[in-house]
Amino acid sequence: MSRAKVRRYFRHGLFPQLIVFEAVARLGSVTRAAGELHLAQPTVSIQLKKLAEALDVRLFEPDGRRLKLTPAGEALLPVCSELIGLFDRVEERLAPLRRMGAEVLRLAAEPEARAVASRLVAEFCARHPGLQASVHIAERPELLARLAAAKDDVYLFELEIDGLPAGRRWTVAQPKGRVLAKSAALFVREALTTEAYNPGDGKANQPKEPRGAAGTDGAG
């Protein structure tokens, strides 16, 4: 089919017109179609008229109190069903991404962990397209209060222990209940054991006494 012939199908509003046509053809009535689509009857009639003009065919003819499809209408109806089925499949594929996009990962960390926290969030979001995230930086007393109130999903604290290897510099905590918090905390724990997060800058070898976080689902 040439581009010139296809162009008629790209006119503004053609898809809504096809939806209206399918409903009228299936129900045999403008009134019933208007009720199903929550449209005014004149609107349905106008959409049918515009569709017939765009396609340059007659789609319906009177049949008593009902409308009867013309041969052109009979030819068009199965295509409409295919189009509706196609968009149903599109919705099925996009629905999980919309649900993921609605979620927000909230990570909270001490000032010393600011750079590490930002990097962890970026990497986790890269693995979960559509996921949003925020990083809250605060001193330990505030973070402990937020943890007790379960305001965030993952908390990153710095362990201050003499002679602690760089790979054990951080401890992770998360409140109970949220699936996203558990998966994100697991990712953070695993990531912090990798060489990428253990630069060996010597800071981890000069910590002080430990200050852990109580009332968590677990810490590593």
Side-chain angles (χ1 to χ4, degrees):
M1 183 181 292
S2 69
R3 292 179 181 270
K5 290 182 179 180
V6 172
R7 196 170 298 132
R8 73 168 80 243
Y9 294 95
F10 290 87
R11 295 194 180 188
H12 179 70
L14 184 63
F15 184 67
Q17 294 166 12
L18 291 171
I19 296 296
V20 168
F21 165 76
E22 188 276 336
V24 174
R26 175 166 40 84
L27 300 172
S29 166
V30 169
T31 301
R32 292 179 181 176
E36 180 179 283
L37 299 173
H38 303 288
L39 297 173
Q41 291 186 37
T43 301
V44 172
S45 298
I46 291 172
Q47 293 297 311
L48 289 177
K49 181 180 179 181
K50 289 182 176 180
L51 178 62
E53 291 175 350
L55 300 181
D56 195 23
V57 293
R58 187 180 179 190
L59 298 171
F60 292 99
E61 59 185 10
D63 184 23
R65 300 184 63 180
R66 294 175 61 87
L67 289 175
K68 179 182 178 181
L69 287 169
T70 64
E74 293 281 3
L76 180 62
L77 183 57
V79 178
C80 290
S81 299
E82 291 177 13
L83 284 173
I84 293 172
L86 175 62
F87 280 93
D88 281 341
R89 292 193 294 275
V90 170
E91 281 297 301
E92 289 177 2
R93 294 185 180 185
L94 294 181
L97 297 177
R98 291 197 188 102
R99 287 194 294 269
M100 181 175 293
E103 288 193 286
V104 178
L105 171 68
R106 298 180 297 271
L107 188 147
E110 293 180 292
E112 295 82 2
R114 182 190 302 269
V116 173
S118 299
R119 182 176 173 186
L120 287 166
V121 163
E123 291 187 9
F124 188 76
C125 289
R127 296 190 180 192
H128 300 82
L131 182 69
Q132 299 179 15
S134 66
V135 177
H136 182 82
I137 303 297
E139 297 293 341
R140 184 163 300 189
E142 180 182 338
L143 292 190
L144 291 175
R146 292 177 68 90
L147 175 58
K151 289 187 175 182
D152 307 286
D153 298 304
V154 182
Y155 295 83
L156 188 59
F157 298 93
E158 183 180 25
L159 290 175
E160 299 180 348
I161 303 175
D162 274 337
L164 190 69
R168 300 294 302 277
R169 177 177 175 181
W170 312 106
T171 185
V172 182
Q174 88 269 1
K176 297 180 179 180
R178 198 172 181 212
V179 174
L180 180 62
K182 292 182 179 180
S183 61
L186 177 61
F187 166 81
V188 169
R189 290 189 180 100
E190 292 178 348
L192 290 175
T193 63
T194 65
E195 185 177 352
Y197 285 90
N198 302 316
D201 57 6
K203 183 177 181 180
N205 294 322
Q206 302 175 1
K208 306 169 186 175
E209 62 181 7
R211 296 183 295 179
T216 71
D217 226 8

